[in-house]
Amino acid sequence: MAAGFNEEKRAGKGPQSSYIINPHLDSMKEDILYHFNLGTATHDLPAMFGDVKFVCIGGSPWRMRSFIQYIAGELRLSDPNADFPDICAGTDRYSMYKAGPVLSISHGMGIPSIGIMLHELIKLLHHARCTDVTIIRIGTSGGIGLNPGTVVITKQSVDATFLPQFEQIILGKKVLRSTDLDEKLSEELLQCSKKLNEFDTVIGNTMCTLDFYEGQARLDGAFCSYTEEEKQNYLEEAYTAGVRNIEMESSVFAAMCKLSGLRGAVVCVTLLDRRKGDQMTSSHDTLNDYQMRPQKLVRHYIKKQLNVV
């Protein structure tokens, strides 16, 4: 089994301005960030993005547009009702918005989609010569043993067998990469939630699966080959292993943050307790309230870091 490529290279101290580990990029005359509709020859990336300190990512383009309006108002950077242009408007893959030092990007659904976005984001931060960047995924999830609306800050992302690793096949060989996230950042976010005192927040493991239905032990998919009892036994095993929520992006996110040296965190609200059902029955207004909770927590954290009262 091959080791992850140069995983120890990012252990140095001091401000970090290069997040890539790829010698081939140095010999390229131009780097086209295809899915962002950006490039080193067509855009002045340092001028556009050099001041970025916080990158917030989430699955939905609408949610990330809403977030940038929200954070811009909270940081008093602009009218929260202002129309922020989509920097990636030339492509239909992702949406990107910017307000001061905050970048807000949609990543789609699942490991492949967020993985592609992260490759190009990390290269963007490198080309823009950004330093000391913190990246936070904000989203929704299914909970295990938690009340709906509880926010989970991920300690480790684990796979469907509860192992803290991201498995990828590279050149026909299995590569395993660590999925540990920044413990200090997680604790800082937890303390921010305690300060807010508006909703329950816990630190726990997040199980990252390859699909939404069978991979998450649901009974409501088009196919299901197991019983309700088998489902409950599996979720109990997950809970015993420290898993408190389930989603589909955290493993590659954690692995790429660790490889690049980016400070990263995953902050997801639970929409339901999966031990009590598979489908969401909460009202639209209640779900909207839940989805705002990670945004409120991350807003509080960013304001604290920027000393905005």
Side-chain angles (χ1 to χ4, degrees), residues 141-186:
S141 63
I144 302 180
L146 299 174
N147 291 325
T150 302
V151 172
V152 179
I153 302 168
T154 302
K155 178 181 180 181
Q156 289 180 315
S157 175
V158 300
D159 64 19
T161 64
F162 319 132
L163 294 176
Q165 62 187 28
F166 171 62
E167 178 181 315
Q168 189 171 11
I169 305 299
I170 302 175
L171 300 180
K173 298 178 181 178
K174 185 184 294 186
V175 175
L176 298 179
R177 287 173 170 160
S178 170
T179 54
D180 290 336
L181 285 157
D182 191 300
E183 290 186 19
K184 185 172 183 290
L185 177 57
S186 295

Side-chain angles (χ1 to χ4, degrees), residues 183-195:
E183 290 186 19
K184 185 172 183 290
L185 177 57
S186 295
E187 187 58 37
E188 289 171 355
L189 287 163
L190 181 63
Q191 292 307 312
C192 284
S193 181
K194 291 179 179 179
K195 186 80 171 178

